[in-house]
Amino acid sequence: MSELVTRTVVEEAAPTGVEPPAQDLHPNRTRAVIALARFEARELLMQIPMLVFLLLYVAYTGWGMFNGREGMDDYPVLHDVDRSTQTAPLLLALVLFVSINRAVLRSRRHGTDRHFDVLVMEPWRRSLAHALSAVPFAVFTALVVGFEFTWAALKRGAVGHGSLAELLVGPLSILLAGALGVLVARSIPFTFAVPPFVIVMYVLTTLLAASTQGTHWVRWLAPVVTEEGAHPFPADLLGRPAAWHVLYLVGLIVLLLCLALLISGGRTPRIKAITVLALAAMAQGIVGQAPGDSAALIAARAKASATPEKVQTCVMHERSTYCAYPEWNGQTADWAEVVQRVQSLAGGPASAERLTVRQRVDARSGLEGDAALEPAKTPGVVTVGTRWGGNRIPEFAVGVASVLVTGDEASSVDVCDARAVIIMWLALGSESHPLTMLRHVRIDDSITGGGLALAPTNPISMNAAQTEVIKELLQKPRYSVIPKVKAHWSELTSPKTTTAQVAQLLGVSAPSDPGALSVKTCGE
């Protein structure tokens, strides 16, 4: 029986010299990179540290949104809110940097690097996929940032306007962490390299900042530059090169990614061209953000600080005038409500006095300065700041009351006598919880002993005897105190009246402190 052998002859066509390049023979490589990026992103999300810090980021942001600082977040300044969204993502970025670095080195730790040699996907494409795995986390950060800003912008008391460039910094810091994690893994392929790298970078940045003494262009090389400390400025006095900083960050992210791809073997003409473009964009961003405050900006800040009347708009409410910087024009009605409430308790000429409430800010020291406002010497002028809400409301009421009693803010600096009693009662007498407000406006958060009550300019000093009388007055029904205040206004506002006499005039117990029988001056 003859054995039949079937042979298959495969004929290959001879090369023609016009075949497409090898990389074009695999049109699905882009989809493969995206699929690997999605897989790595899921793996990152399943890691406990990554999941924990994501939840912490959301919880911290939510807590800040629903539990504002002393009520001041009810009146947010939007061109400060956009900057406040930049710090929280940094911790998430650090965790992502470590996680992506470990993901890139996973095969090295497990000894499976050699198995990748049989795969079609080149090492540089795998590096690209690892970097792209940070994109979902950047998108998530952008959603949190957008929700946080929108929440503030929809509040009735919101003023100003935000910057898209400032809002992009948080998500970009996430992408920067991802690109840096891949680059460090490809250039230093050891799992123990991350802690020393972080320490070295921290030491270098600290030494650089110390040696340059906070030079503007050096500080703006950091991913996030919040510049906080001063009271909110009008938007045109910020002077932050936010758009240039975003260009710098985008160029830096792409440059770090391209360096990682080049180290991984991706030396294609396209990657080399993108590397050059990224370097140019980063350099342009550095040049754009390098100059400090311009002469025009410094002059504008000095003008708005020293002569605010030249840049403000004034409106009338009842008998008084209210002058505000452009962004705060809608807040004058809130100021007027406080003034009318305080003035309704006053007696004599003060009950009908025409006040000028002027908004003030000291912008001459920049966004990180915290200079105190000097009291106005013009009679009838009351200062209001650029923060509003929470404790700022009773503090403003203290300022209004001090001007009604002494005539001007400069004179209220020397109120160490019994006039402090009537000032504090005017400021807090119409509050629903006056003793709580007294605690809030005092620096030491107490309602016993001597202390200082905050005001927009200089604080009001009160000793233990005055505090005792003030507490008794605030606990009495105000309708029983108002007639006495109006009837004895001239005696109550006289610097010669003792604390004991004030107590007698207003029908409360005399203070136990013997010093209440004499008039004390600030120096005593």
Side-chain angles (χ1 to χ4, degrees), residues 72-94:
M72 286 186 290
D73 286 348
D74 292 335
Y75 298 83
V77 180
L78 298 182
H79 47 268
D80 278 10
V81 173
D82 55 13
R83 298 207 310 275
S84 68
T85 64
Q86 299 176 6
T87 306
L90 286 180
L91 191 57
L92 181 61
L94 179 60

Side-chain angles (χ1 to χ4, degrees), residues 92-113:
L92 181 61
L94 179 60
V95 177
L96 185 66
F97 162 71
V98 176
S99 300
I100 287 183
N101 182 273
R102 287 179 55 82
V104 176
L105 297 176
R106 185 192 307 120
S107 58
R108 183 180 181 87
R109 293 197 308 274
H110 296 165
T112 58
D113 267 343

Side-chain angles (χ1 to χ4, degrees), residues 263-505:
I263 292 174
S264 303
R267 298 179 179 87
T268 65
R270 181 178 299 177
I271 293 178
K272 292 178 181 179
I274 295 175
T275 303
V276 174
L277 290 176
L279 182 60
M282 185 184 73
Q284 184 61 49
I286 293 175
V287 172
Q289 70 184 15
D293 298 336
S294 64
L297 177 62
I298 294 174
R301 286 178 174 176
K303 181 180 179 181
S305 303
T307 55
E309 64 276 4
K310 295 182 179 179
V311 296
Q312 291 180 341
T313 302
C314 298
V315 296
M316 291 285 296
H317 290 285
E318 296 292 335
R319 65 177 67 86
S320 296
T321 304
Y322 299 83
C323 302
Y325 296 108
E327 291 92 341
W328 284 268
N329 285 333
Q331 216 167 73
T332 56
D334 295 324
W335 306 341
E337 182 181 351
V338 176
V339 170
Q340 292 161 16
R341 174 166 52 83
V342 174
Q343 203 166 18
S344 67
L345 303 181
S351 62
E353 185 173 351
R354 296 180 180 273
L355 299 175
T356 299
V357 176
R358 186 171 300 283
Q359 192 174 41
R360 294 170 59 201
V361 63
D362 193 342
R364 289 169 290 193
S365 300
L367 291 170
E368 294 180 315
D370 193 18
L373 295 173
E374 291 293 327
K377 298 180 180 179
T378 306
V381 172
V382 182
T383 295
V384 63
T386 51
R387 284 199 179 107
W388 189 251
N391 293 351
R392 300 296 86 82
I393 296 177
E395 289 170 13
F396 173 62
V398 172
V400 174
S402 65
V403 172
L404 291 176
V405 171
T406 65
D408 59 79
E409 289 183 339
S411 299
S412 66
V413 176
D414 299 326
V415 174
C416 297
D417 48 61
R419 290 179 294 176
V421 174
I422 192 62
I423 288 175
M424 297 307 299
W425 183 81
L426 289 176
L428 307 177
S430 59
E431 293 282 354
S432 57
H433 299 88
L435 289 181
T436 301
M437 290 296 103
L438 176 62
R439 185 185 302 276
H440 287 173
V441 297
R442 282 173 55 119
I443 293 178
D444 58 357
D445 292 328
S446 73
I447 56 174
T448 58
L452 294 175
L454 292 173
T457 55
N458 287 342
I460 302 298
S461 175
M462 62 188 83
N463 57 32
Q466 291 160 1
T467 303
E468 189 177 338
V469 174
I470 291 168
K471 284 174 56 180
E472 283 205 48
L473 281 175
L474 293 178
Q475 293 178 78
K476 291 176 68 67
R478 63 174 174 267
Y479 61 80
S480 67
V481 181
I482 293 176
K484 298 174 182 177
V485 169
K486 292 183 179 293
H488 302 287
W489 180 257
S490 59
E491 297 98 319
L492 294 172
T493 57
S494 171
K496 298 180 180 180
T497 305
T498 66
T499 304
Q501 290 171 334
V502 169
Q504 182 180 10
L505 291 171

Side-chain angles (χ1 to χ4, degrees), residues 40-58 88-103 133-138 140-141 173-175 177-178:
E40 292 295 344
R42 287 196 299 269
E43 288 294 307
L44 289 173
L45 186 60
M46 296 303 295
Q47 295 183 21
I48 293 179
M50 199 71 222
L51 184 60
V52 167
F53 278 93
L54 274 173
L55 294 176
L56 283 177
Y57 172 48
V58 174
L90 286 180
L91 191 57
L92 181 61
L94 179 60
V95 177
L96 185 66
F97 162 71
V98 176
S99 300
I100 287 183
N101 182 273
R102 287 179 55 82
S133 68
V135 172
F137 298 94
F140 176 79
T141 304
S173 65
I174 301 296
L175 295 178

